């Protein structure tokens, strides 16, 4: 991190409580708890690691591509990254999650930061590919001068925090349990970044079929606390 200002920008926009609506989603955990697949601290940690692994090899790649495209001023490449993310969300809830959070982040960035390449991308998205969260985050951090590795780390932290925030409301774990899990999962972010940093959009993949099954089941649940 080259300056204190960059560190503060990373902390502000990477904060799990930044108003993008992440608290409304559990990323499949609600159904996993209901069906007994996640029932204690050990299974919760496994689930979080699965989510972050899928996030790294899928959305995380798009974030890195978007970050580099933003630094080059390449709006077409940013749009291609959004399209790659959107096409790979095979169920309605995950598509809703990435589009809604992407729109909220873009709206917040316009209010806080002002004119930006992200704002231009939002302006032309109404008649084409929607803005997605990982791409918006990558573009925003590039424009704020935050490096790509730090942007990737913030994205992975957010994916884990979303699930763990839901866990406190869904199962018998406390905040210290979730912080311990977060600490352990975060230890893997560096190796995930090294694995995907040279990947392109065609290399994106997030093979986690049980997460897709849980998302599909959640979509048809009669009683739901979360939107995913």
């Amino acid at each position: 991190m080259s300056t204190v200002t960059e560190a503060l920008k990373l902390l502000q926009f990477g904060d799990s409580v930044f108003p993008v609506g992440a608290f409304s989603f559990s990323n499949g955990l609600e159904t996993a708890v209901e069906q007994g697949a996640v029932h204690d601290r050990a299974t919760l940690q496994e689930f979080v690691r699965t989510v972050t692994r899928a996030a790294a090899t899928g959305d995380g790649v798009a974030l890195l591509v978007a970050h580099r495209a933003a630094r080059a001023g390449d709006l077409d490449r940013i749009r291609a990254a959004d399209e790659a993310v959107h096409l790979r969300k095979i169920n309605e809830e995950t598509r809703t999650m990435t589009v809604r959070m992407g729109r909220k982040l873009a709206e917040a960035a316009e209010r806080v930061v002002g004119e930006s390449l992200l704002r231009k991308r939002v302006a032309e998205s109404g008649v084409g590919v929607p803005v997605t969260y990982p791409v918006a985050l990558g573009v925003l951090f590039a424009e704020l001068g935050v490096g790509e590795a730090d942007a990737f780390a913030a994205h992975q932290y957010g994916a884990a925090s979303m699930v763990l925030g839901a866990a406190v409301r869904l199962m018998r774990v406390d905040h210290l349990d979730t912080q311990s899990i977060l600490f352990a999962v975060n230890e893997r972010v560096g190796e995930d970044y090294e694995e995907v940093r040279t990947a392109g959009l065609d290399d994106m993949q997030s093979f986690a079929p049980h997460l897709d099954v849980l998302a599909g089941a959640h979509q048809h649940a009669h009683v739901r606390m979360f939107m995913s």
Side-chain angles (χ1 to χ4, degrees):
M1 195 73 64
S2 60
T3 68
V4 172
T5 302
E6 288 173 21
L8 291 173
K9 290 173 181 176
L10 178 66
L11 289 172
Q12 179 176 0
F13 289 97
D15 194 331
S16 59
V17 298
F18 192 80
V20 295
F23 64 89
S24 300
F25 302 95
S26 78
N27 219 337
L29 181 65
E30 184 167 20
T31 307
V33 171
E34 180 186 347
Q35 296 186 358
V38 174
H39 53 83
D40 58 14
R41 176 173 165 168
T43 52
L44 175 60
Q45 183 164 326
E46 274 185 51
F47 185 88
V48 175
R49 176 53 186 159
T50 299
V51 167
T52 56
R53 174 66 183 165
T57 58
D59 290 355
V61 174
L63 177 143
L64 294 175
V65 170
H67 188 283
R68 294 162 190 165
R71 296 193 66 175
D74 189 343
L75 192 62
D76 290 338
R77 188 64 172 159
I78 293 169
R79 188 186 308 109
D82 273 321
E83 184 174 30
V85 172
H86 196 248
L87 288 175
R88 284 166 174 78
K89 301 304 180 184
I90 66 173
N91 61 72
E92 182 179 345
E93 288 189 343
T94 54
R95 284 195 301 273
T96 298
M97 181 174 72
T98 195
V99 171
R100 183 167 299 184
M101 289 176 61
R103 184 178 68 248
K104 290 291 187 182
L105 178 62
E107 290 172 353
E110 181 177 349
R111 178 87 172 267
V112 176
V113 178
E115 186 63 39
S116 68
L117 189 59
L118 180 56
R119 182 178 179 180
K120 293 178 182 176
R121 171 70 188 101
V122 171
E124 54 109 61
S125 67
V127 292
V129 180
V131 175
T132 64
Y133 179 70
V135 172
L137 194 65
V139 172
L140 175 61
F141 276 142
E143 296 196 293
L144 293 176
V146 174
E148 67 169 52
D150 292 324
F152 179 87
H155 176 261
Q156 295 301 106
Y157 178 89
S161 294
M162 178 193 298
V163 177
L164 291 169
V168 173
R169 289 177 276 174
L170 289 169
M171 48 189 302
R172 291 186 177 181
V173 291
D174 60 29
H175 291 286
L176 293 181
D177 287 327
T178 57
Q179 287 300 313
S180 296
I181 292 171
L182 183 61
F183 186 84
V185 170
N186 283 345
E187 292 285 294
R188 309 290 294 275
V189 171
E191 64 188 63
D192 286 343
Y193 170 71
E194 288 301 320
E195 180 180 344
V196 305
R197 68 186 179 87
T198 59
L201 296 178
D202 290 340
D203 302 310
M204 286 174 62
Q205 48 92 15
S206 55
F207 184 72
H210 51 301
L211 292 181
D212 293 323
V213 170
L214 291 170
H218 188 268
Q219 184 176 333
H220 299 289
H222 294 296
V223 179
R224 296 185 296 180
M225 183 183 300
F226 294 92
M227 295 182 66
S228 72

